[in-house]
């Protein structure tokens, strides 16, 4: 019997998830069917329940439904509770919905794939929304020397830093409060989607430092275009997308797919 999975979003037609999970299934010999479902903005919970009624076993959740998914779940993983969001749903044998988030582990595994060591490094994270909240626990577990969160609204960054201060040295403030240089700067804002750039100091990267944008596209993002001439090595969020999908696949099927071939396939499809 073929098990059914999907990704919920609005919009969702651009999603690479069906391609990614089809590749994972082929590679691991798993019999699954994976589709993309555009749920109404006010109808995500009903869409999930209908999917389950039709035989669905699990789902990925993308914007704008991650918070709603978090609130809907019967049981939450520790990392989902810390993140305050869910991107992976699993239907339990008792019919209850279990929620997890794989975004943070996806980013950390992507950095590891590129042999980027985080221990002892100074990291700057731009933004203080839900995307950033999901990253902080996995980042801090890698024992960086410090994580600095910068946001247009300084109080949001400060609150986020306070929420995760038990896991390591982390501070928050406005963009104007950024001081010193960093080994890794992660753009967790949605500014790239609008072709916008946060106000950043010219001297931001340590020698050999990295710029990472959680967004990706057929061209380097505005943030990466800015960071390259300022001496940074560049990474976009395509690898994170693949790695978080691999973690979801493992949660559903209890098998870890190899991500390298899928990375190559997706990168070639973007033509840069």
């Amino acid at each position: 019997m073929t098990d059914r999975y999907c990704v919920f979003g609005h919009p969702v037609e651009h999603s690479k998830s069906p391609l990614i999970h089809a590749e994972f299934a082929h590679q691991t010999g798993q019999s699954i069917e994976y589709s993309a479902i555009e749920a109404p903005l006010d109808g995500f919970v009903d869409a999930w329940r209908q999917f389950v009624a039709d035989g669905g076993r699990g789902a990925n959740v993308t914007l704008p439904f991650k918070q709603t998914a978090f609130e809907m779940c019967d049981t939450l993983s520790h990392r989902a509770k810390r993140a305050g969001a869910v991107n992976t749903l699993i239907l339990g044998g008792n019919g209850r919905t279990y929620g997890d988030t794989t975004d943070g582990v996806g980013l950390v595994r992507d950095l590891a794939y590129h042999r980027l060591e985080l221990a002892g490094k100074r990291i700057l994270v731009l933004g203080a929304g839900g995307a950033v909240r999901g990253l902080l626990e996995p980042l801090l577990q890698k024992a960086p020397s410090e994580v600095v969160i910068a946001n247009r609204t300084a109080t949001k960054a400060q609150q986020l830093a306070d929420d995760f201060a038990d896991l390591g040295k982390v501070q928050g403030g406005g963009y104007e409060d950024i001081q010193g240089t960093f080994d890794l700067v992660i753009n967790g804002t949605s500014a790239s989607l609008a072709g916008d750039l946060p106000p950043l100091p010219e001297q931001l990267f340590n020698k050999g430092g990295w710029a990472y944008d959680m967004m990706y596209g057929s061209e380097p993002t505005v943030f990466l275009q800015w960071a390259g001439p300022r001496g940074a090595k560049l990474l976009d969020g395509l690898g994170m997308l693949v790695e978080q999908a691999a973690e979801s696949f493992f949660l559903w099927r209890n098998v870890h797919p190899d991500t390298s071939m899928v990375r190559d396939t997706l990168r070639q499809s973007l033509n840069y």
Side-chain angles (χ1 to χ4, degrees), residues 117-125 143-148 169 171 177-186 203-206 209-210:
E117 177 60 53
L118 299 179
K121 300 299 172 58
R122 190 165 190 247
I123 301 172
L124 172 65
V125 183
S145 64
E146 181 181 31
V147 172
V148 176
K169 186 177 180 183
Q171 61 173 295
D177 300 318
I178 296 173
Q179 295 182 357
T181 54
F182 298 86
D183 301 295
L184 171 64
V185 180
I186 299 171
Q203 301 298 319
L204 193 61
F205 300 96
N206 287 334
W210 290 79

Side-chain angles (χ1 to χ4, degrees), residues 163-233:
D163 290 347
F164 287 85
D166 60 307
L167 299 181
K169 186 177 180 183
V170 54
Q171 61 173 295
Y175 292 122
E176 68 278 6
D177 300 318
I178 296 173
Q179 295 182 357
T181 54
F182 298 86
D183 301 295
L184 171 64
V185 180
I186 299 171
N187 182 22
T189 74
S190 58
S192 290
L193 294 176
D196 194 11
L197 185 70
L200 301 172
E202 286 291 316
Q203 301 298 319
L204 193 61
F205 300 96
N206 287 334
K207 184 177 180 180
W210 290 79
Y212 191 106
D213 200 316
M214 290 171 62
M215 304 298 172
Y216 69 93
S218 58
E219 301 284 341
T221 66
V222 171
F223 171 65
L224 295 183
Q225 291 177 37
W226 177 87
R230 289 161 180 81
K233 293 180 278 188

Side-chain angles (χ1 to χ4, degrees), residues 126-141:
L126 307 176
V132 168
R133 176 174 282 274
L135 304 180
L136 291 176
E137 181 177 33
L139 281 177
L140 288 163
Q141 287 175 339

Side-chain angles (χ1 to χ4, degrees), residues 39-263:
L41 289 175
D42 60 351
F44 166 72
V45 174
D46 287 341
W48 164 247
R49 289 173 177 164
Q50 184 60 55
F51 183 68
V52 169
D54 292 339
R57 300 296 306 165
N60 288 126
V61 183
T62 188
L63 295 174
F65 299 126
K66 293 183 181 183
Q67 180 66 40
T68 306
F70 174 84
E71 295 166 354
M72 175 193 75
C73 287
D74 299 305
T75 309
L76 294 164
S77 70
H78 166 78
R79 58 190 179 189
K81 291 177 183 177
R82 274 312 300 226
V86 158
N87 82 331
T88 304
L89 298 173
I90 305 165
L91 183 68
N94 56 2
R96 294 169 65 84
T97 300
Y98 176 84
D100 204 342
T101 179
T102 65
D103 286 333
V105 71
L107 180 136
V108 169
R109 287 181 183 168
D110 188 32
L111 296 174
Y113 181 88
H114 292 281
R115 294 180 172 80
L116 204 164
E117 177 60 53
L118 299 179
K121 300 299 172 58
R122 190 165 190 247
I123 301 172
L124 172 65
V125 183
L126 307 176
V132 168
R133 176 174 282 274
L135 304 180
L136 291 176
E137 181 177 33
L139 281 177
L140 288 163
Q141 287 175 339
K142 294 299 181 181
S145 64
E146 181 181 31
V147 172
V148 176
I149 306 165
N151 190 56
R152 291 188 189 276
T153 305
T155 52
K156 288 187 66 176
Q158 290 160 358
Q159 182 60 57
L160 203 50
D162 291 345
D163 290 347
F164 287 85
D166 60 307
L167 299 181
K169 186 177 180 183
V170 54
Q171 61 173 295
Y175 292 122
E176 68 278 6
D177 300 318
I178 296 173
Q179 295 182 357
T181 54
F182 298 86
D183 301 295
L184 171 64
V185 180
I186 299 171
N187 182 22
T189 74
S190 58
S192 290
L193 294 176
D196 194 11
L197 185 70
L200 301 172
E202 286 291 316
Q203 301 298 319
L204 193 61
F205 300 96
N206 287 334
K207 184 177 180 180
W210 290 79
Y212 191 106
D213 200 316
M214 290 171 62
M215 304 298 172
Y216 69 93
S218 58
E219 301 284 341
T221 66
V222 171
F223 171 65
L224 295 183
Q225 291 177 37
W226 177 87
R230 289 161 180 81
K233 293 180 278 188
L234 309 179
L235 282 174
D236 68 10
L238 187 70
M240 175 182 171
L241 173 69
V242 176
E243 294 296 341
Q244 65 82 21
E247 179 70 2
S248 293
F249 191 87
F250 170 73
L251 292 172
W252 294 326
R253 311 302 296 179
N254 200 34
V255 58
H256 276 292
D258 177 20
T259 59
S260 57
M261 289 183 61
V262 180
R263 285 169 170 270

